[in-house]
Amino acid sequence: MEFNNIEKLLEKYFEATTTVAEEEMLRAYFTREDVPPHLKRHAPMFQYFSVAKEERFTKQVPLKPRKKSYIKWISIAAVSILIFGIYFGRSYQEQREAEYAYQETKKALSLLATNLGRGTEKVAYLREFEETKQKIYNRN
Amino acid sequence: MQQTEFLNVVLPFKDKLYRLAKRLLVSKEEAEDATQEILLKLWSKNKMMTGYNNVEAYAMMMTKNFCLDRLKSKQAGNLKLVHSNYKDENVSIQTQIEVSDSLSWIEKIMEELPEQQKMVLQLRDVEQYEFEEIADLLGMSATAVRVALSRARKTVREKLVQKHNYGIQ
């Protein structure tokens, strides 16, 4: 490539009016070995930019935390379900026991009521007997 | 978005994020931390990410803001631990070689530039972004980007010439 062209490009470069493609040309030109002496002082700049682009991020990309929090949320959900389950299960059990006790009491009471009814019938007979006895007494 | 899918999106430009972070924060460790932080933030937002048509530009913007915040908080706390801030008195052979190397001069010259010019130079001459992209990223007009870039390039040239002359004397 001719000097003239390169010198013109350099001038444009320092005024920041070159395009990306033209800058690429400059970079390619100055990374070559045979740069003429009067342009050599610009070479380190372009060489540096090429070198700087080679720098890499070597650390591992850390993406673990999200997975961990996922497990955390599942365990929270599981524990809360367990607690609710125990709470409601127990209150249901209590309700059933109470109902059973109520039924038993009701049965016992009705048994008592029928026996009492039978008792009063017998007492009614007794009164009949008492009345007839009184009648007989009055006649004599 | 699945993990592998996310990596496919992110991997092509993660080096760019790192280089930008390193340009601003200078220290390698801090740049690595910043890059990891940015990638984690991106990952935590990955449901929304499909909504952005240009994830790279978004990530670059995040990196820029993150690093500038870092620098600001460090200045406020007066706790600046970057290479430009302390001088090693006993210069080792290693650093002597490095100093004689003109490529590392340029790195040092770039450290001295104002932040905005640093970013413009990094994005244009290292990453080859178009003016419009840089303007969007940095929230400047395209002309302002051009001016800043021209200034940055000229400063680097002048300082490089100065150092060359000292070297000869």
Side-chain angles (χ1 to χ4, degrees):
Chain A
M1 208 179 295
E2 323 86 69
F3 304 147
N4 280 347
N5 199 0
I6 288 297
E7 271 168 20
K8 248 179 231 161
L9 274 184
L10 264 179
E11 208 170 295
K12 274 175 78 185
Y13 173 79
F14 284 109
E15 292 308 319
T17 50
T18 40
T19 63
V20 170
E22 284 169 335
E23 284 163 19
E24 190 53 50
M25 261 162 65
L26 279 172
R27 239 190 313 281
Y29 181 81
F30 280 107
T31 41
R32 287 188 339 204
E33 291 296 311
D34 54 340
V35 181
H38 69 290
L39 292 178
K40 206 139 200 173
R41 62 194 172 98
H42 297 301
M45 216 172 146
F46 294 99
Q47 284 164 6
Y48 171 72
F49 293 139
S50 310
V51 171
K53 212 187 172 179
E54 293 306 306
E55 211 162 339
R56 294 279 177 266
F57 178 66
T58 47
K59 277 200 167 180
Q60 201 64 37
V61 181
L63 299 179
K64 287 277 144 58
R66 194 164 176 266
K67 224 177 177 181
K68 255 184 210 161
S69 71
Y70 196 60
I71 289 171
K72 196 179 79 186
W73 282 113
I74 284 187
S75 57
I76 287 174
V79 167
S80 55
I81 286 174
L82 205 66
I83 288 172
F84 272 97
I86 289 171
Y87 178 72
F88 282 116
R90 180 170 287 186
S91 66
Y92 177 68
Q93 192 76 19
E94 274 170 10
Q95 200 182 336
R96 265 185 40 174
E97 269 169 17
E99 211 149 284
Y100 179 72
Y102 172 68
Q103 294 296 353
E104 287 295 302
T105 327
K106 220 168 147 187
K107 228 189 270 174
L109 281 178
S110 66
L111 196 70
L112 192 73
T114 44
N115 283 342
L116 199 72
R118 223 182 281 160
T120 40
E121 261 173 39
K122 292 285 187 279
V123 173
Y125 275 127
L126 208 66
R127 190 183 286 159
E128 196 86 15
F129 172 76
E130 194 69 28
E131 268 173 21
T132 27
K133 195 188 86 183
Q134 209 70 39
K135 274 181 195 164
I136 290 166
Y137 270 127
N138 286 344
R139 224 181 271 171
N140 296 336
Chain B
M1 202 183 276
Q2 283 307 304
Q3 194 161 327
T4 45
E5 214 178 320
F6 174 78
L7 287 176
N8 285 341
V9 172
V10 159
L11 286 185
F13 60 80
K14 74 174 190 345
D15 295 324
K16 289 187 187 180
L17 303 182
Y18 170 67
R19 289 192 292 254
L20 179 65
K22 185 157 181 252
R23 180 68 61 211
L24 286 168
L25 300 173
V26 179
S27 124
K28 183 168 176 271
E29 285 74 27
E30 276 204 61
E32 277 172 350
D33 287 351
T35 315
Q36 281 194 330
E37 194 85 4
I38 296 297
L39 290 175
L40 269 181
K41 272 188 192 171
L42 271 180
W43 176 237
S44 68
K45 284 184 189 169
N46 78 357
K47 284 230 176 67
M48 286 151 60
M49 227 160 79
T50 34
Y52 296 112
N53 40 10
N54 195 345
V55 182
E56 180 183 329
Y58 179 67
M60 287 296 264
M61 184 119 62
M62 274 170 75
T63 310
K64 179 204 90 179
N65 291 336
F66 183 83
C67 292
L68 290 182
D69 282 352
R70 258 294 154 80
L71 288 174
K72 215 181 276 173
S73 67
K74 222 182 283 165
Q75 268 164 7
N78 210 359
L79 215 157
K80 208 172 177 187
L81 222 159
V82 293
H83 290 307
S84 60
N85 205 31
Y86 58 87
K87 275 211 176 82
D88 194 0
E89 292 299 331
N90 26 352
V91 186
S92 66
I93 300 169
Q94 177 68 29
T95 45
Q96 272 175 341
I97 293 168
E98 264 178 37
V99 167
S100 68
D101 182 5
S102 37
L103 295 191
S104 65
W105 284 357
I106 298 182
E107 187 152 13
K108 293 211 167 64
I109 291 169
M110 275 182 82
E111 274 173 31
E112 289 161 17
L113 289 174
E115 255 117 48
Q116 199 186 49
Q117 291 185 18
K118 238 188 242 182
M119 286 190 284
V120 172
L121 201 59
Q122 170 75 14
L123 292 174
R124 178 66 175 195
D125 277 342
V126 179
E127 312 293 357
Q128 279 113 47
Y129 275 48
E130 292 290 347
F131 283 122
E132 287 74 27
E133 291 174 300
I134 300 174
D136 276 351
L137 257 173
L138 303 184
M140 301 158 72
S141 72
T143 359
V145 171
R146 226 174 262 273
V147 171
L149 182 62
S150 170
R151 260 184 215 151
R153 282 171 175 173
K154 282 177 179 164
T155 314
V156 172
R157 178 180 61 180
E158 274 156 32
K159 291 204 173 161
L160 192 62
V161 168
Q162 272 176 19
K163 296 215 171 176
H164 261 292
N165 289 344
Y166 290 149
I168 287 163
Q169 283 161 5

